[in-house]
């Protein structure tokens, strides 16, 4: 007998941004919908900055349970939400929006996604005492928060514009110190964990021009860039025998809380899902 799904049971969510064509979120969420036999869809919708407020006002009318929010809407989405999680407020940006009692709620799941990805891909990573983080943008803020929360005692933060690193370090207090790339060779000697959060090494961008020659042998190397799947930094680290973790895990794990909020089931990041997204990244030249 054909299964008839009423409009009430059919659930919808989406990702919004501008541009949005590159987003892999539909691949992830539609995989989970199918895997769990949930009647629903997850689409990508181009929304320009001037259209954001009207788009949020039309969510219910469009039958959307919520959405992911990406560049350039992350800060404005937080401002427009009626309720925000503490971590979204802490990062000053939202990536996940849903309705609760008809009111718009906002969360930021990047920090959680990073933590969960290292738990899965590099168990024991949180024994690190000292971390060296490259980059002081939005992603860096979420990652430093995850490192400190999980017990990393000190973070050395390096950025091209040192003032931006200093500004971010000030938000976290004495456990984070800022410097420029000239100090990288020295700081690598004491790092148990090295993380790249800059956009460098991404397909179409300049490579991250840093030598790992002075990095502690036991250090774990993590790169949140996931196109290509194996960045120049990860290749260099592997060649030196370091344990490594690529950026795809963070993308997959940050998606979990949104799916749970919209579709009522907490999904898992499985090797099968990972293989599908990896295949898509490779097709895009990564
Ligand atoms: N795996 C995931 O789920 C995930 C999630 C979020 C982000 N990401 C990736 O993380 C990267 C950063 O994202 P974001 O949101 O933090 O971006 P952002 O806020 O724009 O920050 C960009 C960072 O990259 C640095 N940078 C850019 N071009 C550079 C150059 N030519 N030389 C030196 N440094 C340069 C910037 O340094 P300045 O401050 O000096 O400009 C800044 O530290 C992107 O590649 C993004 O795709 C991955």
């Amino acid at each position: 007998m054909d299964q008839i799904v009423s409009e009430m049971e059919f659930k919808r969510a989406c990702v919004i941004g501008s541009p949005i064509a590159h987003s892999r979120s539909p691949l992830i969420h539609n995989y989970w919908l199918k895997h769990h036999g949930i009647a629903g869809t997850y689409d990508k919708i181009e929304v320009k900055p001037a259209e954001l407020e009207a788009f949020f006002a039309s969510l219910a009318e469009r039958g959307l349970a919520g959405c992911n929010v990406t560049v350039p809407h992350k800060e404005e989405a937080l401002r427009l939400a009626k309720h925000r999680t503490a971590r979204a407020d802490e990062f000053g940006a939202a990536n996940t929006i849903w309705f609760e009692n008809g009111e718009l709620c906002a969360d930021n799941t990047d920090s959680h996604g990073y933590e969960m990805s290292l738990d899965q891909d590099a168990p024991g990573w949180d024994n690190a005492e000292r971390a060296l983080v490259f980059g002081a943008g939005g992603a860096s803020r979420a990652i430093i928060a995850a490192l400190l929360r999980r017990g990393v005692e000190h973070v050395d933060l390096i950025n091209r514009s040192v003032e931006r690193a200093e500004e971010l370090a000030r938000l976290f207090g004495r456990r984070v110190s800022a410097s420029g790339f000239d100090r990288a060779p020295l700081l690598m000697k004491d790092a148990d964990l090295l993380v790249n959060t800059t956009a460098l090494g991404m397909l179409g961008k300049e490579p991250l021009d840093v030598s790992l020659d002075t990095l502690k042998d036991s250090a774990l190397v993590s790169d949140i860039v996931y196109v290509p799947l194996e960045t120049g930094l990860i290749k260099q680290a592997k060649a030196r025998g370091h344990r490594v973790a690529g950026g795809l895990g963070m993308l997959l794990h940050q998606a979990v809380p949104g799916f749970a909020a919209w579709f009522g089931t907490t999904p898992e990041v499985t090797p099968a899902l990972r293989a599908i997204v990896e295949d898509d990244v490779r097709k895009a030249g990564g």
Side-chain angles (χ1 to χ4, degrees), residues 61-227:
E61 194 183 302
R62 289 168 182 259
L64 288 161
C67 60
N68 281 126
V69 175
T70 186
V71 178
H73 303 312
K74 289 183 165 194
E75 289 80 16
E76 187 62 3
L78 182 75
R79 197 185 66 77
L80 292 170
K82 175 110 185 179
H83 306 282
R84 303 115 169 244
T85 59
R87 61 190 182 189
D89 260 340
E90 183 189 347
F91 305 145
N95 69 349
T96 306
I97 297 286
W98 73 100
F99 275 122
E100 221 165 276
N101 304 321
E103 293 181 330
L104 217 55
C105 305
D107 192 8
N108 188 317
T109 65
D110 277 344
S111 187
H112 164 85
Y114 185 68
E115 245 179 277
M116 295 298 115
S117 76
L118 285 197
D119 282 348
Q120 191 171 53
D121 298 342
W125 69 272
D126 50 352
N127 290 326
E129 288 181 6
R130 213 170 169 104
L132 178 57
V133 174
F134 294 154
S140 174
R141 189 168 172 177
I143 280 161
I144 294 170
L147 301 183
L148 297 179
R149 188 170 49 239
R150 289 295 290 271
V152 173
E153 282 166 21
H154 194 87
V155 174
D156 288 301
L157 175 59
I158 286 183
N159 198 46
R160 172 178 58 179
S161 33
V162 183
E163 314 78 58
R164 198 174 179 196
E166 284 169 346
E167 204 178 306
L168 187 54
R170 263 196 300 279
L171 290 179
F172 287 104
R174 285 170 45 202
R175 286 168 73 196
V176 180
S177 28
S179 39
F181 274 96
D182 54 321
R183 299 233 323 141
L186 185 69
L187 294 172
M188 276 186 207
K189 290 182 183 168
D190 293 325
D192 303 301
L193 168 61
L194 185 151
V195 192
N196 175 44
T197 79
T198 73
L200 298 177
M202 217 170 127
L203 191 71
K205 296 249 170 170
E206 297 161 49
L208 175 66
D209 186 19
V210 168
S211 161
L212 300 182
D213 283 355
T214 56
L215 184 63
K216 207 192 238 191
D217 287 342
S218 58
L220 166 68
V221 176
S222 149
D223 196 334
I224 68 162
V225 171
Y226 60 89
V227 184

